[in-house]
Amino acid sequence: MKNKSLVSIDDLTTDEIMKILDDAAEFEKNPVQDLLLGKVIATLFFEPSTRTRLSFESAISRLGGKIVGFSDAGVSSVSKGETLHDTIKMVSSYSDLIVMRHPVEGSARYASEISPVPVINAGDGANQHPTQTLLDMYSIRKTQGTLDNLNIFMVGDLKYGRTVHSLMMAMSRWNTTFNFISPEELKMPEEFKLYLDNLGLKYYEHLDFTDIISKADIIYMTRVQKERFSDPIEYEKVKNVYVLKNSMLANTKANMRILHPLPRVNEIHTDVDSNPKAYYFEQALNGVFTRQAILCSLLGIK
Ligand code: CP
């Protein structure tokens, strides 16, 4: 690792990513081991979470580690006005590694600069969610047999969706063709398109994907991020713009799989859940094995 923290997916080399995916495959075969015995991991969630927090805590528990932290900053001294700086200073003295979710973009990088122990970014505002990306890549490799030359459709809130930002950056290393499907208001931000431009990679932007769905290897659906809108009227305009239904999947490739970082609201109809191409619940389970591999990697545990 360039440093011991994982803040952006670009903190990892390609070899480090592949090692984490390979280790995750081993953890999937054997998830209960004593590798974190004696380690204390802090989970600081300043924003709500189900999968990220609980899969980290499950991963830690199955490896024999202990957990301290909070799932609601309102029960911590943040509610009395304590700064992020002081919170990180204190928690880093109680733990061997910090997992943090925070609504402010850049907060994880800031925490990593203060903390003497590794910090894992569990989502910083609309910026990045690198551990989600690693579990997404694990899911892609597992279902496609490769990461190379895939056609990935990213659908929904590409403006505020931190998972698509991290995943796009990571998959750009494997000659991916990207199709970005979003309403005008929620297009992929210019900085991320510039990232692809600088690599000489092609991407295509669409308002609809029903006519091109047969080309997809992965359809990565996303929730419109209500909590990032300052104007509720703007959210109302776009909240129902894409709803994937089972009837839309008839002409899709045999290898195609539907991913979603979850939670979903209504962007995948429940009639898709029983389709063998729906992979989002298995994807969330893969988060446990991938996070076991990430924790051991950052803590230098072989
Ligand atoms: N995918 C994801 O980050 O889910 P949670 O918000 O439930 O952690």
Side-chain angles (χ1 to χ4, degrees), residues 45 48-54 101 122 129 132 135 162-163 223 260-263 291:
F45 279 71
S49 168
T50 295
R51 275 145 295 274
T52 309
R53 185 173 68 82
L54 296 182
R101 171 171 289 185
H129 195 348
Q132 177 71 45
L135 79 88
R162 55 195 173 201
T163 62
R223 173 179 68 92
H260 190 312
L262 303 178
R291 288 176 169 127

mmCIF file with all atom_site columns, all heavy atoms in Angstrom, residues 45 48-54 101 122 129 132 135 162-163 223 260-263 291, ligand 1:
data_model
loop_
_atom_site.group_PDB
_atom_site.id
_atom_site.type_symbol
_atom_site.label_atom_id
_atom_site.label_alt_id
_atom_site.label_comp_id
_atom_site.label_asym_id
_atom_site.label_entity_id
_atom_site.label_seq_id
_atom_site.pdbx_PDB_ins_code
_atom_site.Cartn_x
_atom_site.Cartn_y
_atom_site.Cartn_z
_atom_site.occupancy
_atom_site.B_iso_or_equiv
_atom_site.pdbx_formal_charge
_atom_site.auth_seq_id
_atom_site.auth_comp_id
_atom_site.auth_asym_id
_atom_site.auth_atom_id
_atom_site.pdbx_PDB_model_num
ATOM   1   N N   . PHE A 1 45  ? -19.811 5.588  12.495 1.00 0.00 ? 45  PHE A N   1
ATOM   2   C CA  . PHE A 1 45  ? -20.774 5.861  11.424 1.00 0.00 ? 45  PHE A CA  1
ATOM   3   C C   . PHE A 1 45  ? -21.545 7.141  11.747 1.00 0.00 ? 45  PHE A C   1
ATOM   4   O O   . PHE A 1 45  ? -22.430 7.145  12.594 1.00 0.00 ? 45  PHE A O   1
ATOM   5   C CB  . PHE A 1 45  ? -21.681 4.651  11.179 1.00 0.00 ? 45  PHE A CB  1
ATOM   6   C CG  . PHE A 1 45  ? -20.991 3.624  10.313 1.00 0.00 ? 45  PHE A CG  1
ATOM   7   C CD1 . PHE A 1 45  ? -19.939 2.863  10.807 1.00 0.00 ? 45  PHE A CD1 1
ATOM   8   C CD2 . PHE A 1 45  ? -21.342 3.472  8.983  1.00 0.00 ? 45  PHE A CD2 1
ATOM   9   C CE1 . PHE A 1 45  ? -19.255 1.959  10.001 1.00 0.00 ? 45  PHE A CE1 1
ATOM   10  C CE2 . PHE A 1 45  ? -20.668 2.571  8.165  1.00 0.00 ? 45  PHE A CE2 1
ATOM   11  C CZ  . PHE A 1 45  ? -19.619 1.816  8.672  1.00 0.00 ? 45  PHE A CZ  1
ATOM   12  N N   . PRO A 1 48  ? -26.260 6.902  8.365  1.00 0.00 ? 48  PRO A N   1
ATOM   13  C CA  . PRO A 1 48  ? -26.859 5.571  8.494  1.00 0.00 ? 48  PRO A CA  1
ATOM   14  C C   . PRO A 1 48  ? -26.215 4.541  7.570  1.00 0.00 ? 48  PRO A C   1
ATOM   15  O O   . PRO A 1 48  ? -25.684 4.876  6.510  1.00 0.00 ? 48  PRO A O   1
ATOM   16  C CB  . PRO A 1 48  ? -28.317 5.795  8.077  1.00 0.00 ? 48  PRO A CB  1
ATOM   17  C CG  . PRO A 1 48  ? -28.547 7.260  8.209  1.00 0.00 ? 48  PRO A CG  1
ATOM   18  C CD  . PRO A 1 48  ? -27.232 7.924  7.949  1.00 0.00 ? 48  PRO A CD  1
ATOM   19  N N   . SER A 1 49  ? -26.267 3.295  7.997  1.00 0.00 ? 49  SER A N   1
ATOM   20  C CA  . SER A 1 49  ? -25.744 2.180  7.194  1.00 0.00 ? 49  SER A CA  1
ATOM   21  C C   . SER A 1 49  ? -26.353 0.889  7.712  1.00 0.00 ? 49  SER A C   1
ATOM   22  O O   . SER A 1 49  ? -26.560 0.734  8.917  1.00 0.00 ? 49  SER A O   1
ATOM   23  C CB  . SER A 1 49  ? -24.219 2.111  7.343  1.00 0.00 ? 49  SER A CB  1
ATOM   24  O OG  . SER A 1 49  ? -23.723 0.895  6.810  1.00 0.00 ? 49  SER A OG  1
ATOM   25  N N   . THR A 1 50  ? -26.629 -0.021 6.813  1.00 0.00 ? 50  THR A N   1
ATOM   26  C CA  . THR A 1 50  ? -26.939 -1.404 7.207  1.00 0.00 ? 50  THR A CA  1
ATOM   27  C C   . THR A 1 50  ? -25.804 -2.320 6.766  1.00 0.00 ? 50  THR A C   1
ATOM   28  O O   . THR A 1 50  ? -25.117 -2.938 7.582  1.00 0.00 ? 50  THR A O   1
ATOM   29  C CB  . THR A 1 50  ? -28.276 -1.867 6.578  1.00 0.00 ? 50  THR A CB  1
ATOM   30  O OG1 . THR A 1 50  ? -29.321 -1.064 7.124  1.00 0.00 ? 50  THR A OG1 1
ATOM   31  C CG2 . THR A 1 50  ? -28.559 -3.334 6.900  1.00 0.00 ? 50  THR A CG2 1
ATOM   32  N N   . ARG A 1 51  ? -25.572 -2.397 5.457  1.00 0.00 ? 51  ARG A N   1
ATOM   33  C CA  . ARG A 1 51  ? -24.611 -3.368 4.916  1.00 0.00 ? 51  ARG A CA  1
ATOM   34  C C   . ARG A 1 51  ? -23.159 -3.078 5.306  1.00 0.00 ? 51  ARG A C   1
ATOM   35  O O   . ARG A 1 51  ? -22.435 -3.977 5.730  1.00 0.00 ? 51  ARG A O   1
ATOM   36  C CB  . ARG A 1 51  ? -24.677 -3.407 3.377  1.00 0.00 ? 51  ARG A CB  1
ATOM   37  C CG  . ARG A 1 51  ? -25.734 -4.309 2.827  1.00 0.00 ? 51  ARG A CG  1
ATOM   38  C CD  . ARG A 1 51  ? -26.299 -3.706 1.572  1.00 0.00 ? 51  ARG A CD  1
ATOM   39  N NE  . ARG A 1 51  ? -26.973 -2.476 1.927  1.00 0.00 ? 51  ARG A NE  1
ATOM   40  C CZ  . ARG A 1 51  ? -28.238 -2.430 2.342  1.00 0.00 ? 51  ARG A CZ  1
ATOM   41  N NH1 . ARG A 1 51  ? -28.953 -3.507 2.369  1.00 0.00 ? 51  ARG A NH1 1
ATOM   42  N NH2 . ARG A 1 51  ? -28.788 -1.280 2.704  1.00 0.00 ? 51  ARG A NH2 1
ATOM   43  N N   . THR A 1 52  ? -22.737 -1.836 5.128  1.00 0.00 ? 52  THR A N   1
ATOM   44  C CA  . THR A 1 52  ? -21.308 -1.566 5.315  1.00 0.00 ? 52  THR A CA  1
ATOM   45  C C   . THR A 1 52  ? -20.927 -1.804 6.776  1.00 0.00 ? 52  THR A C   1
ATOM   46  O O   . THR A 1 52  ? -19.958 -2.512 7.077  1.00 0.00 ? 52  THR A O   1
ATOM   47  C CB  . THR A 1 52  ? -20.977 -0.125 4.883  1.00 0.00 ? 52  THR A CB  1
ATOM   48  O OG1 . THR A 1 52  ? -21.502 0.078  3.568  1.00 0.00 ? 52  THR A OG1 1
ATOM   49  C CG2 . THR A 1 52  ? -19.477 0.113  4.888  1.00 0.00 ? 52  THR A CG2 1
ATOM   50  N N   . ARG A 1 53  ? -21.698 -1.231 7.678  1.00 0.00 ? 53  ARG A N   1
ATOM   51  C CA  . ARG A 1 53  ? -21.349 -1.383 9.096  1.00 0.00 ? 53  ARG A CA  1
ATOM   52  C C   . ARG A 1 53  ? -21.480 -2.842 9.547  1.00 0.00 ? 53  ARG A C   1
ATOM   53  O O   . ARG A 1 53  ? -20.570 -3.409 10.146 1.00 0.00 ? 53  ARG A O   1
ATOM   54  C CB  . ARG A 1 53  ? -22.217 -0.474 9.981  1.00 0.00 ? 53  ARG A CB  1
ATOM   55  C CG  . ARG A 1 53  ? -21.797 -0.509 11.452 1.00 0.00 ? 53  ARG A CG  1
ATOM   56  C CD  . ARG A 1 53  ? -22.548 0.522  12.258 1.00 0.00 ? 53  ARG A CD  1
ATOM   57  N NE  . ARG A 1 53  ? -23.951 0.232  12.397 1.00 0.00 ? 53  ARG A NE  1
ATOM   58  C CZ  . ARG A 1 53  ? -24.488 -0.598 13.280 1.00 0.00 ? 53  ARG A CZ  1
ATOM   59  N NH1 . ARG A 1 53  ? -23.715 -1.262 14.133 1.00 0.00 ? 53  ARG A NH1 1
ATOM   60  N NH2 . ARG A 1 53  ? -25.791 -0.783 13.338 1.00 0.00 ? 53  ARG A NH2 1
ATOM   61  N N   . LEU A 1 54  ? -22.624 -3.443 9.221  1.00 0.00 ? 54  LEU A N   1
ATOM   62  C CA  . LEU A 1 54  ? -22.844 -4.801 9.749  1.00 0.00 ? 54  LEU A CA  1
ATOM   63  C C   . LEU A 1 54  ? -21.959 -5.840 9.063  1.00 0.00 ? 54  LEU A C   1
ATOM   64  O O   . LEU A 1 54  ? -21.541 -6.818 9.702  1.00 0.00 ? 54  LEU A O   1
ATOM   65  C CB  . LEU A 1 54  ? -24.323 -5.171 9.641  1.00 0.00 ? 54  LEU A CB  1
ATOM   66  C CG  . LEU A 1 54  ? -25.252 -4.292 10.495 1.00 0.00 ? 54  LEU A CG  1
ATOM   67  C CD1 . LEU A 1 54  ? -26.693 -4.747 10.362 1.00 0.00 ? 54  LEU A CD1 1
ATOM   68  C CD2 . LEU A 1 54  ? -24.833 -4.291 11.954 1.00 0.00 ? 54  LEU A CD2 1
ATOM   69  N N   . ARG A 1 101 ? -17.633 6.227  8.256  1.00 0.00 ? 101 ARG A N   1
ATOM   70  C CA  . ARG A 1 101 ? -18.534 6.823  7.255  1.00 0.00 ? 101 ARG A CA  1
ATOM   71  C C   . ARG A 1 101 ? -18.900 8.216  7.735  1.00 0.00 ? 101 ARG A C   1
ATOM   72  O O   . ARG A 1 101 ? -19.252 8.397  8.914  1.00 0.00 ? 101 ARG A O   1
ATOM   73  C CB  . ARG A 1 101 ? -19.796 5.989  7.075  1.00 0.00 ? 101 ARG A CB  1
ATOM   74  C CG  . ARG A 1 101 ? -20.839 6.690  6.215  1.00 0.00 ? 101 ARG A CG  1
ATOM   75  C CD  . ARG A 1 101 ? -21.996 5.808  5.847  1.00 0.00 ? 101 ARG A CD  1
ATOM   76  N NE  . ARG A 1 101 ? -21.581 4.803  4.883  1.00 0.00 ? 101 ARG A NE  1
ATOM   77  C CZ  . ARG A 1 101 ? -22.428 3.944  4.309  1.00 0.00 ? 101 ARG A CZ  1
ATOM   78  N NH1 . ARG A 1 101 ? -23.709 3.991  4.598  1.00 0.00 ? 101 ARG A NH1 1
ATOM   79  N NH2 . ARG A 1 101 ? -21.992 3.045  3.446  1.00 0.00 ? 101 ARG A NH2 1
ATOM   80  N N   . ALA A 1 122 ? -15.536 4.336  4.700  1.00 0.00 ? 122 ALA A N   1
ATOM   81  C CA  . ALA A 1 122 ? -16.767 3.563  4.470  1.00 0.00 ? 122 ALA A CA  1
ATOM   82  C C   . ALA A 1 122 ? -17.821 4.425  3.779  1.00 0.00 ? 122 ALA A C   1
ATOM   83  O O   . ALA A 1 122 ? -19.018 4.154  3.871  1.00 0.00 ? 122 ALA A O   1
ATOM   84  C CB  . ALA A 1 122 ? -17.281 3.029  5.797  1.00 0.00 ? 122 ALA A CB  1
ATOM   85  N N   . HIS A 1 129 ? -16.421 5.272  -2.133 1.00 0.00 ? 129 HIS A N   1
ATOM   86  C CA  . HIS A 1 129 ? -16.815 4.162  -1.254 1.00 0.00 ? 129 HIS A CA  1
ATOM   87  C C   . HIS A 1 129 ? -15.962 2.961  -1.683 1.00 0.00 ? 129 HIS A C   1
ATOM   88  O O   . HIS A 1 129 ? -16.453 2.006  -2.287 1.00 0.00 ? 129 HIS A O   1
ATOM   89  C CB  . HIS A 1 129 ? -18.307 3.893  -1.430 1.00 0.00 ? 129 HIS A CB  1
ATOM   90  C CG  . HIS A 1 129 ? -18.939 3.034  -0.367 1.00 0.00 ? 129 HIS A CG  1
ATOM   91  N ND1 . HIS A 1 129 ? -18.212 2.317  0.577  1.00 0.00 ? 129 HIS A ND1 1
ATOM   92  C CD2 . HIS A 1 129 ? -20.251 2.766  -0.108 1.00 0.00 ? 129 HIS A CD2 1
ATOM   93  C CE1 . HIS A 1 129 ? -19.054 1.643  1.357  1.00 0.00 ? 129 HIS A CE1 1
ATOM   94  N NE2 . HIS A 1 129 ? -20.293 1.903  0.957  1.00 0.00 ? 129 HIS A NE2 1
ATOM   95  N N   . GLN A 1 132 ? -16.868 -0.785 -0.970 1.00 0.00 ? 132 GLN A N   1
ATOM   96  C CA  . GLN A 1 132 ? -17.984 -1.231 -1.810 1.00 0.00 ? 132 GLN A CA  1
ATOM   97  C C   . GLN A 1 132 ? -17.453 -1.616 -3.190 1.00 0.00 ? 132 GLN A C   1
ATOM   98  O O   . GLN A 1 132 ? -17.847 -2.633 -3.779 1.00 0.00 ? 132 GLN A O   1
ATOM   99  C CB  . GLN A 1 132 ? -19.025 -0.110 -1.932 1.00 0.00 ? 132 GLN A CB  1
ATOM   100 C CG  . GLN A 1 132 ? -20.199 -0.443 -2.848 1.00 0.00 ? 132 GLN A CG  1
ATOM   101 C CD  . GLN A 1 132 ? -21.143 -1.476 -2.274 1.00 0.00 ? 132 GLN A CD  1
ATOM   102 O OE1 . GLN A 1 132 ? -21.489 -1.390 -1.109 1.00 0.00 ? 132 GLN A OE1 1
ATOM   103 N NE2 . GLN A 1 132 ? -21.571 -2.443 -3.083 1.00 0.00 ? 132 GLN A NE2 1
ATOM   104 N N   . LEU A 1 135 ? -15.866 -5.054 -3.168 1.00 0.00 ? 135 LEU A N   1
ATOM   105 C CA  . LEU A 1 135 ? -16.844 -6.157 -3.155 1.00 0.00 ? 135 LEU A CA  1
ATOM   106 C C   . LEU A 1 135 ? -17.599 -6.220 -4.477 1.00 0.00 ? 135 LEU A C   1
ATOM   107 O O   . LEU A 1 135 ? -17.980 -7.306 -4.938 1.00 0.00 ? 135 LEU A O   1
ATOM   108 C CB  . LEU A 1 135 ? -17.772 -6.062 -1.942 1.00 0.00 ? 135 LEU A CB  1
ATOM   109 C CG  . LEU A 1 135 ? -18.945 -5.088 -1.932 1.00 0.00 ? 135 LEU A CG  1
ATOM   110 C CD1 . LEU A 1 135 ? -20.188 -5.690 -2.534 1.00 0.00 ? 135 LEU A CD1 1
ATOM   111 C CD2 . LEU A 1 135 ? -19.226 -4.636 -0.512 1.00 0.00 ? 135 LEU A CD2 1
ATOM   112 N N   . ARG A 1 162 ? -21.660 7.679  -4.741 1.00 0.00 ? 162 ARG A N   1
ATOM   113 C CA  . ARG A 1 162 ? -20.215 7.475  -4.500 1.00 0.00 ? 162 ARG A CA  1
ATOM   114 C C   . ARG A 1 162 ? -19.762 6.092  -4.968 1.00 0.00 ? 162 ARG A C   1
ATOM   115 O O   . ARG A 1 162 ? -18.614 5.904  -5.344 1.00 0.00 ? 162 ARG A O   1
ATOM   116 C CB  . ARG A 1 162 ? -19.888 7.684  -3.021 1.00 0.00 ? 162 ARG A CB  1
ATOM   117 C CG  . ARG A 1 162 ? -20.701 6.823  -2.064 1.00 0.00 ? 162 ARG A CG  1
ATOM   118 C CD  . ARG A 1 162 ? -20.583 7.343  -0.635 1.00 0.00 ? 162 ARG A CD  1
ATOM   119 N NE  . ARG A 1 162 ? -21.470 6.652  0.274  1.00 0.00 ? 162 ARG A NE  1
ATOM   120 C CZ  . ARG A 1 162 ? -21.871 7.150  1.446  1.00 0.00 ? 162 ARG A CZ  1
ATOM   121 N NH1 . ARG A 1 162 ? -21.460 8.325  1.841  1.00 0.00 ? 162 ARG A NH1 1
ATOM   122 N NH2 . ARG A 1 162 ? -22.668 6.463  2.231  1.00 0.00 ? 162 ARG A NH2 1
ATOM   123 N N   . THR A 1 163 ? -20.688 5.130  -4.967 1.00 0.00 ? 163 THR A N   1
ATOM   124 C CA  . THR A 1 163 ? -20.279 3.778  -5.374 1.00 0.00 ? 163 THR A CA  1
ATOM   125 C C   . THR A 1 163 ? -19.915 3.739  -6.860 1.00 0.00 ? 163 THR A C   1
ATOM   126 O O   . THR A 1 163 ? -18.975 3.052  -7.244 1.00 0.00 ? 163 THR A O   1
ATOM   127 C CB  . THR A 1 163 ? -21.387 2.743  -5.088 1.00 0.00 ? 163 THR A CB  1
ATOM   128 O OG1 . THR A 1 163 ? -22.540 3.075  -5.855 1.00 0.00 ? 163 THR A OG1 1
ATOM   129 C CG2 . THR A 1 163 ? -21.748 2.717  -3.618 1.00 0.00 ? 163 THR A CG2 1
ATOM   130 N N   . ARG A 1 223 ? -29.594 3.873  -6.401 1.00 0.00 ? 223 ARG A N   1
ATOM   131 C CA  . ARG A 1 223 ? -30.697 4.620  -5.783 1.00 0.00 ? 223 ARG A CA  1
ATOM   132 C C   . ARG A 1 223 ? -30.469 6.125  -5.998 1.00 0.00 ? 223 ARG A C   1
ATOM   133 O O   . ARG A 1 223 ? -29.334 6.594  -5.933 1.00 0.00 ? 223 ARG A O   1
ATOM   134 C CB  . ARG A 1 223 ? -30.674 4.316  -4.282 1.00 0.00 ? 223 ARG A CB  1
ATOM   135 C CG  . ARG A 1 223 ? -31.601 5.096  -3.405 1.00 0.00 ? 223 ARG A CG  1
ATOM   136 C CD  . ARG A 1 223 ? -31.445 4.640  -1.946 1.00 0.00 ? 223 ARG A CD  1
ATOM   137 N NE  . ARG A 1 223 ? -30.156 5.007  -1.373 1.00 0.00 ? 223 ARG A NE  1
ATOM   138 C CZ  . ARG A 1 223 ? -29.902 6.116  -0.693 1.00 0.00 ? 223 ARG A CZ  1
ATOM   139 N NH1 . ARG A 1 223 ? -30.859 6.996  -0.480 1.00 0.00 ? 223 ARG A NH1 1
ATOM   140 N NH2 . ARG A 1 223 ? -28.708 6.357  -0.196 1.00 0.00 ? 223 ARG A NH2 1
ATOM   141 N N   . HIS A 1 260 ? -26.419 -3.943 -7.486 1.00 0.00 ? 260 HIS A N   1
ATOM   142 C CA  . HIS A 1 260 ? -26.924 -2.713 -6.841 1.00 0.00 ? 260 HIS A CA  1
ATOM   143 C C   . HIS A 1 260 ? -26.216 -2.662 -5.495 1.00 0.00 ? 260 HIS A C   1
ATOM   144 O O   . HIS A 1 260 ? -26.183 -3.672 -4.775 1.00 0.00 ? 260 HIS A O   1
ATOM   145 C CB  . HIS A 1 260 ? -28.441 -2.810 -6.672 1.00 0.00 ? 260 HIS A CB  1
ATOM   146 C CG  . HIS A 1 260 ? -29.110 -1.521 -6.253 1.00 0.00 ? 260 HIS A CG  1
ATOM   147 N ND1 . HIS A 1 260 ? -28.646 -0.731 -5.213 1.00 0.00 ? 260 HIS A ND1 1
ATOM   148 C CD2 . HIS A 1 260 ? -30.215 -0.886 -6.735 1.00 0.00 ? 260 HIS A CD2 1
ATOM   149 C CE1 . HIS A 1 260 ? -29.428 0.330  -5.082 1.00 0.00 ? 260 HIS A CE1 1
ATOM   150 N NE2 . HIS A 1 260 ? -30.387 0.275  -5.997 1.00 0.00 ? 260 HIS A NE2 1
ATOM   151 N N   . PRO A 1 261 ? -25.654 -1.505 -5.129 1.00 0.00 ? 261 PRO A N   1
ATOM   152 C CA  . PRO A 1 261 ? -24.987 -1.461 -3.814 1.00 0.00 ? 261 PRO A CA  1
ATOM   153 C C   . PRO A 1 261 ? -25.986 -1.591 -2.666 1.00 0.00 ? 261 PRO A C   1
ATOM   154 O O   . PRO A 1 261 ? -25.581 -1.928 -1.549 1.00 0.00 ? 261 PRO A O   1
ATOM   155 C CB  . PRO A 1 261 ? -24.292 -0.095 -3.814 1.00 0.00 ? 261 PRO A CB  1
ATOM   156 C CG  . PRO A 1 261 ? -25.046 0.732  -4.819 1.00 0.00 ? 261 PRO A CG  1
ATOM   157 C CD  . PRO A 1 261 ? -25.547 -0.228 -5.854 1.00 0.00 ? 261 PRO A CD  1
ATOM   158 N N   . LEU A 1 262 ? -27.253 -1.327 -2.932 1.00 0.00 ? 262 LEU A N   1
ATOM   159 C CA  . LEU A 1 262 ? -28.328 -1.334 -1.933 1.00 0.00 ? 262 LEU A CA  1
ATOM   160 C C   . LEU A 1 262 ? -28.072 -0.237 -0.879 1.00 0.00 ? 262 LEU A C   1
ATOM   161 O O   . LEU A 1 262 ? -26.915 0.127  -0.689 1.00 0.00 ? 262 LEU A O   1
ATOM   162 C CB  . LEU A 1 262 ? -28.491 -2.714 -1.287 1.00 0.00 ? 262 LEU A CB  1
ATOM   163 C CG  . LEU A 1 262 ? -28.758 -3.875 -2.263 1.00 0.00 ? 262 LEU A CG  1
ATOM   164 C CD1 . LEU A 1 262 ? -28.847 -5.204 -1.489 1.00 0.00 ? 262 LEU A CD1 1
ATOM   165 C CD2 . LEU A 1 262 ? -30.034 -3.650 -3.089 1.00 0.00 ? 262 LEU A CD2 1
ATOM   166 N N   . PRO A 1 263 ? -29.023 0.310  -0.215 1.00 0.00 ? 263 PRO A N   1
ATOM   167 C CA  . PRO A 1 263 ? -30.430 -0.088 -0.270 1.00 0.00 ? 263 PRO A CA  1
ATOM   168 C C   . PRO A 1 263 ? -31.097 0.358  -1.573 1.00 0.00 ? 263 PRO A C   1
ATOM   169 O O   . PRO A 1 263 ? -30.717 1.361  -2.146 1.00 0.00 ? 263 PRO A O   1
ATOM   170 C CB  . PRO A 1 263 ? -31.041 0.658  0.918  1.00 0.00 ? 263 PRO A CB  1
ATOM   171 C CG  . PRO A 1 263 ? -30.206 1.895  1.062  1.00 0.00 ? 263 PRO A CG  1
ATOM   172 C CD  . PRO A 1 263 ? -28.815 1.469  0.699  1.00 0.00 ? 263 PRO A CD  1
ATOM   173 N N   . ARG A 1 291 ? -14.336 -7.609 2.944  1.00 0.00 ? 291 ARG A N   1
ATOM   174 C CA  . ARG A 1 291 ? -13.891 -6.738 4.048  1.00 0.00 ? 291 ARG A CA  1
ATOM   175 C C   . ARG A 1 291 ? -12.946 -7.493 4.990  1.00 0.00 ? 291 ARG A C   1
ATOM   176 O O   . ARG A 1 291 ? -12.059 -6.876 5.581  1.00 0.00 ? 291 ARG A O   1
ATOM   177 C CB  . ARG A 1 291 ? -15.115 -6.138 4.749  1.00 0.00 ? 291 ARG A CB  1
ATOM   178 C CG  . ARG A 1 291 ? -15.746 -5.093 3.832  1.00 0.00 ? 291 ARG A CG  1
ATOM   179 C CD  . ARG A 1 291 ? -17.004 -4.460 4.303  1.00 0.00 ? 291 ARG A CD  1
ATOM   180 N NE  . ARG A 1 291 ? -17.319 -3.325 3.441  1.00 0.00 ? 291 ARG A NE  1
ATOM   181 C CZ  . ARG A 1 291 ? -18.490 -3.143 2.820  1.00 0.00 ? 291 ARG A CZ  1
ATOM   182 N NH1 . ARG A 1 291 ? -19.479 -3.993 3.001  1.00 0.00 ? 291 ARG A NH1 1
ATOM   183 N NH2 . ARG A 1 291 ? -18.662 -2.100 2.028  1.00 0.00 ? 291 ARG A NH2 1
HETATM 184 N N1  . CP  B 2 .   ? -24.008 -0.276 0.052  1.00 0.00 ? 1   CP  B N1  1
HETATM 185 C C1  . CP  B 2 .   ? -24.030 0.423  1.203  1.00 0.00 ? 1   CP  B C1  1
HETATM 186 O O1  . CP  B 2 .   ? -23.154 1.272  1.461  1.00 0.00 ? 1   CP  B O1  1
HETATM 187 O O2  . CP  B 2 .   ? -25.078 0.128  2.012  1.00 0.00 ? 1   CP  B O2  1
HETATM 188 P P1  . CP  B 2 .   ? -25.337 0.745  3.444  1.00 0.00 ? 1   CP  B P1  1
HETATM 189 O O3  . CP  B 2 .   ? -25.614 2.223  3.246  1.00 0.00 ? 1   CP  B O3  1
HETATM 190 O O4  . CP  B 2 .   ? -26.487 0.004  4.021  1.00 0.00 ? 1   CP  B O4  1
HETATM 191 O O5  . CP  B 2 .   ? -24.070 0.573  4.238  1.00 0.00 ? 1   CP  B O5  1
#
